[in-house]
């Protein structure tokens, strides 16, 4: 790598932090410019009336992506960050009264689905084995390599991938693949739900997404000690240790380039010189506002946006022994729910409700004694100008009705404190266009190839990392986007 390289990172989301760590370890002088007064972007946290809430992500998979950062930096991760394995990936509640404990162990999950639904345990194990193969032989290429750089891609084990991938993974929907495996509609619904991992529709997304259940049911799910916010805190601390400088309350207004080369940025009205600029801002906003390139921004919108979310943060004045860390109350008509989300761009009257309760794992840190901190989320369409105040009121009513029914308890009087999050607020806080959680959806066969690359082919020194670019999606993929980006930087600036 060349010496004297100066990088600016635009945004301190999880991918911005990981990019800062990786580039500084590579010997680059790094400064992060963040418009908010805190790091982490969507991965943030707040406290209200004695209840603590992780504001955004709640499910933690693939801790190895975080471990790798500490290894690279030569630091002992345990001094910054600790986590434990969670035995139950999720507890599922169905309107017909069925309750499924979704173990993170494939065999145990098969036994549970056989006992509760009469599903064939062998089919469940076989499905998860195929999910593992798909993940390891095909998914890992998508996730670890740029799809837009030929040289490194040729180093990838492509022959194995070609042998593994089947027609149905490319040309059938996730729902069709799941229906071909399972006899019970509840099992199909359970595995269809993994399309929402990256804000997609299981009735449209390709069968390839059947690799996602491998993460929860073969690799396992985890809980960071101190909650999800400890991921942000650990990465921020590590970045500082590696000499990264942070400028908070400094929105970047412009990326400056000349003769196809990065020259710097304008942040809060001030010119800052740089040889490298990494945008962790949503790629749409990067083109539209920072590069003043409305045409490219418009082209990006040809791909459908991923779903967004409505979140109710409730301080609950009671403990529910029947609930776990992750709980899902399924809609009785999943197809209708996704039609509402992606076609009518509204919410279905019987939404699937996700409740995350971190006080199950860290009582003293998260809720007063005898109480629980509920993070209640439903999938929502991206913002296209809907009347969110009215939608929120109706949705709150629908959620409470559903929970009253399935938990046989009157929930409303137990809500001691409340905050909400909607697509407009998500965009305000993190500049994620239309409040989409994951940039674009995977609702088409070619979606994985259509995500924006981690570099600019027109401007030397301009790179991208985060949920809206390749490989896209939640925290593990954001961390991988930073990895792919830093490898391209190393190649581009090698001596
Ligand atoms: C409600 C919710 C639930 C979720 N659940 C999960 C989950 O369970 N598991 C999971 O893995 N993922 C989940 N996700 C998705 C996950 O949060 C994101 O994929 C990830 O945090 C995105 O990180 P990022 O690096 O792309 O940046 P973001 O978190 O989007 O941060 C971008 C940062 O850039 C800053 N910024 C933007 N523009 C500028 C500018 N011009 N100048 C300076 N700074 C700027 C923003 O302020 C922000 O801090 C969830 C998200 C939400 C909102």
């Amino acid at each position: 790598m060349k010496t004297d390289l100066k990088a600016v990172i635009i945004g301190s989301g999880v991918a911005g932090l990981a990019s800062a760590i990786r580039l500084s370890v590579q010997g680059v002088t790094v400064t992060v410019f963040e418009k908010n007064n805190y790091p982490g972007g969507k991965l943030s946290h707040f406290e209200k009336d004695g209840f603590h809430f992780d504001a955004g992500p709640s499910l933690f998979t693939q801790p190895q992506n975080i471990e790798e950062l500490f290894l690279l930096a030569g630091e002992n991760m345990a001094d910054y960050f600790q986590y434990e394995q969670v035995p139950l990936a999720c507890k599922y509640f169905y309107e017909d009264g069925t309750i499924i404990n979704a173990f993170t162990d494939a065999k145990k999950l098969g036994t549970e689905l056989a006992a509760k639904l009469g599903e064939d345990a062998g089919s469940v194990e076989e499905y998860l084995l195929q999910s593992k193969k798909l993940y390891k032989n095909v998914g890992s290429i998508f996730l670890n390599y740029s799809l837009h750089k030929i040289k490194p891609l040729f180093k990838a084990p492509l022959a194995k991938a070609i042998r593994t991938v089947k027609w149905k993974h490319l040309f059938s929907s996730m729902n069709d693949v799941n229906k071909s495996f399972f006899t019970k509609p509840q099992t199909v619904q359970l595995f269809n739900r993994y399309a929402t991992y990256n804000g997609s529709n299981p009735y449209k997304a390709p069968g390839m997404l059947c690799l996602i259940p491998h993460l929860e049911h073969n690799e396992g799910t985890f809980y960071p000690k101190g909650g999800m916010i400890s991921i942000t805190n650990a990465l921020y601390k590590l970045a500082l240790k590696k000499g990264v400088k942070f400028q908070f309350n400094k929105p970047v207004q412009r990326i400056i380039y000349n003769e196809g080369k990065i020259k710097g940025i304008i942040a809060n009205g001030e010119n800052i010189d740089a040889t490298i600029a990494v945008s962790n801002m949503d790629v749409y906003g990067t083109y539209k506002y920072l590069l003043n390139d409305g045409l490219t921004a418009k082209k990006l919108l040809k791909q459908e946006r991923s779903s967004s979310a409505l979140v109710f943060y409730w301080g609950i004045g009671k403990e529910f022994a029947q609930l776990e860390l992750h709980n899902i109350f399924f809609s009785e008509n999943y197809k209708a729910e996704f039609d509402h989300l992606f076609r009518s761009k509204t919410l279905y009257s019987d939404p699937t409700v996700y409740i995350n309760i971190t006080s199950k794992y860290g009582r003293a840190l998260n809720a007063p004694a005898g109480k629980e901190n509920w993070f209640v989320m439903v999938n929502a369409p991206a913002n296209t100008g809907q009347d969110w105040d009215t939608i929120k009121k109706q949705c709150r009513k629908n959620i409470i009705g559903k929970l009253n029914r399935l938990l046989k308890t009157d929930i409303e009087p137990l809500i001691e404190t409340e905050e909400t999050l909607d697509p407009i607020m998500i965009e305000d806080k993190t500049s994620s266009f239309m409040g989409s959680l994951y940039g674009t959806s995977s609702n088409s066969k070619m979606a994985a190839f259509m995500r924006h690359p981690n570099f600019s082919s027109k401007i030397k020194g301009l790179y991208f990392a985060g949920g809206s670019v390749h490989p896209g999606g939640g925290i593990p993929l954001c961390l991988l986007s930073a990895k792919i980006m830093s490898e391209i930087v190393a190649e581009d600036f090698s001596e």
Side-chain angles (χ1 to χ4, degrees):
M1 270 286 275
K2 281 186 182 146
T3 50
D4 293 339
L5 292 173
K6 211 174 142 191
V8 287
I9 313 258
I10 304 161
S12 66
V14 67
L17 293 171
S19 299
I21 294 164
R22 284 183 177 274
L23 292 186
S24 69
V25 167
Q26 286 171 211
V28 179
T29 304
V30 182
T31 309
V32 178
F33 289 83
E34 168 55 58
K35 76 175 177 61
N36 294 329
N37 61 2
Y38 56 88
K42 297 186 185 82
L43 194 47
S44 64
H45 168 268
F46 69 94
E47 184 269 339
K48 196 178 177 202
D49 302 327
F51 294 91
H52 291 252
F53 298 97
D54 280 314
S58 50
L59 176 71
F60 178 42
T61 54
Q62 298 206 306
Q64 64 269 27
N65 294 326
I66 291 182
E67 275 165 32
E68 194 180 309
L69 291 171
F70 285 92
L71 211 65
L72 271 178
E75 293 287 319
N76 179 19
M77 188 178 77
D79 296 340
Y80 296 74
F81 179 67
Q82 291 172 16
Y83 63 87
E84 60 187 294
Q85 184 141 18
V86 177
L88 208 60
C90 192
K91 190 160 178 176
Y92 293 100
F93 297 78
Y94 297 80
E95 283 284 345
D96 66 1
T98 306
I99 297 174
I100 301 288
N101 291 304
F103 297 99
T104 49
D105 173 289
K107 208 172 176 59
K108 275 173 100 174
L109 178 63
T111 310
E112 171 79 359
L113 292 173
K116 300 272 179 69
L117 298 174
E119 191 61 75
D120 177 45
S123 299
V124 177
E125 284 181 49
E126 177 57 27
Y127 178 85
L128 289 171
L129 193 68
Q130 287 205 16
S131 178
K132 181 180 185 174
K133 271 193 197 150
L134 210 52
Y135 184 87
K136 293 220 177 279
N137 298 348
V138 189
S140 60
I141 294 179
F142 275 84
L143 303 181
N144 286 291
Y145 295 86
S146 170
L147 302 180
H148 310 87
K149 292 266 180 197
I150 297 297
K151 218 166 97 188
L153 198 55
F154 272 123
K155 288 187 201 146
L158 292 173
K160 222 174 185 183
I162 292 164
R163 280 201 304 275
T164 306
V165 82
K166 302 275 179 311
W167 183 265
K168 64 181 178 182
H169 300 132
L170 302 174
F171 299 106
S172 299
S173 71
M174 184 186 208
N175 175 62
D176 285 341
V177 173
N178 289 338
K179 266 170 67 182
S180 72
F181 252 95
F182 303 114
T183 55
K184 305 295 171 193
Q186 294 97 328
T187 319
V188 174
Q189 187 170 24
L190 192 157
F191 286 107
N192 274 355
R193 112 144 158 102
Y194 287 97
T196 65
Y197 244 64
N198 65 1
S200 303
N201 175 352
Y203 303 91
K204 292 263 182 226
M208 186 61 82
L209 293 203
C210 293
L211 57 78
I212 301 175
H214 162 70
L215 299 180
E216 288 194 15
H217 297 293
N218 293 321
E219 288 193 2
T221 68
F222 304 86
Y223 181 71
K225 224 173 169 182
M228 297 296 281
I229 189 61
S230 62
I231 299 176
T232 292
N233 292 342
L235 297 186
Y236 176 54
K237 207 170 140 195
L238 180 61
L240 287 174
K241 182 80 194 277
K242 291 289 118 186
V244 173
K245 298 275 180 293
F246 284 83
Q247 301 262 343
F248 291 107
N249 295 311
K250 289 277 170 71
V252 174
Q253 286 119 357
R254 212 25 90 82
I255 293 173
I256 312 165
Y257 61 97
N258 191 15
E259 294 177 346
K261 268 192 193 167
I262 282 293
K263 293 291 167 197
I265 52 164
I266 301 176
N268 231 15
E270 197 190 331
N271 276 42
I272 288 114
D273 294 341
T275 30
I276 294 170
V278 180
S279 180
N280 177 220
M281 184 187 189
D282 189 296
V283 65
Y284 173 84
T286 306
Y287 277 98
K288 173 106 176 137
Y289 305 111
L290 306 192
L291 293 165
N292 199 18
D293 180 355
L295 204 66
T296 306
K298 204 169 156 198
K299 275 192 204 152
L300 292 170
L301 291 188
K302 284 191 182 148
Q303 295 165 66
E304 187 177 24
R305 301 296 293 172
S306 85
S307 58
S308 185
L310 270 190
V311 183
F312 298 88
Y313 308 93
W314 287 340
I316 294 281
K318 179 177 152 42
E319 284 183 276
F320 283 74
Q322 69 272 49
L323 295 181
E324 296 288 334
L325 177 64
H326 303 284
N327 310 273
I328 285 183
F329 297 79
F330 269 129
S331 170
E332 203 166 17
N333 190 341
Y334 218 30
K335 175 81 169 63
E337 182 176 7
F338 282 96
D339 283 348
H340 276 73
L341 291 173
F342 287 99
R343 271 201 207 150
S344 334
K345 314 276 183 215
T346 188
L347 267 81
Y348 184 46
S349 54
D350 172 29
T352 296
V353 181
Y354 165 70
I355 306 185
N356 173 246
I357 311 172
T358 54
S359 54
K360 297 281 180 199
Y361 265 73
R363 153 131 327 278
L365 284 175
N366 294 316
K371 303 182 181 190
E372 290 182 339
N373 60 344
W374 285 19
F375 167 103
V376 183
M377 184 176 111
V378 299
N379 291 314
N383 177 38
T384 51
Q386 300 91 329
D387 175 356
W388 288 106
D389 285 340
T390 307
I391 291 177
K392 260 197 280 192
K393 266 190 210 133
Q394 186 58 51
C395 179
R396 186 181 190 275
K397 218 167 133 192
N398 293 339
I399 292 174
I400 289 174
K402 191 170 182 75
L403 296 179
N404 287 353
R405 238 179 1 257
L406 293 178
L407 292 174
K408 298 182 180 59
T409 309
D410 191 5
I411 297 296
E412 183 135 34
L414 297 173
I415 303 172
E416 291 188 358
T417 188
E418 178 172 47
E419 282 294 329
T420 61
L421 183 74
D422 64 35
I424 293 181
M425 293 160 85
I426 293 172
E427 178 158 6
D428 278 354
K429 284 184 178 185
T430 60
S431 309
S432 302
F433 186 56
M434 293 164 72
S436 290
L437 299 191
Y438 308 100
T440 51
S441 73
S442 293
N443 289 344
S444 72
K445 293 169 192 68
M446 295 306 286
F449 298 95
M450 304 293 282
R451 274 189 181 269
H452 195 285
N454 305 94
F455 61 97
S456 161
S457 50
K458 295 206 178 113
I459 304 170
K460 183 167 190 255
L462 176 59
Y463 301 91
F464 302 86
S468 70
V469 295
H470 177 73
I475 297 167
L477 304 199
C478 285
L479 293 169
L480 289 172
S481 75
K483 179 179 177 219
I484 298 170
M485 181 281 300
S486 68
E487 285 166 0
I488 301 171
V489 170
E491 179 85 20
D492 288 353
F493 288 91
S494 66
E495 292 206 277

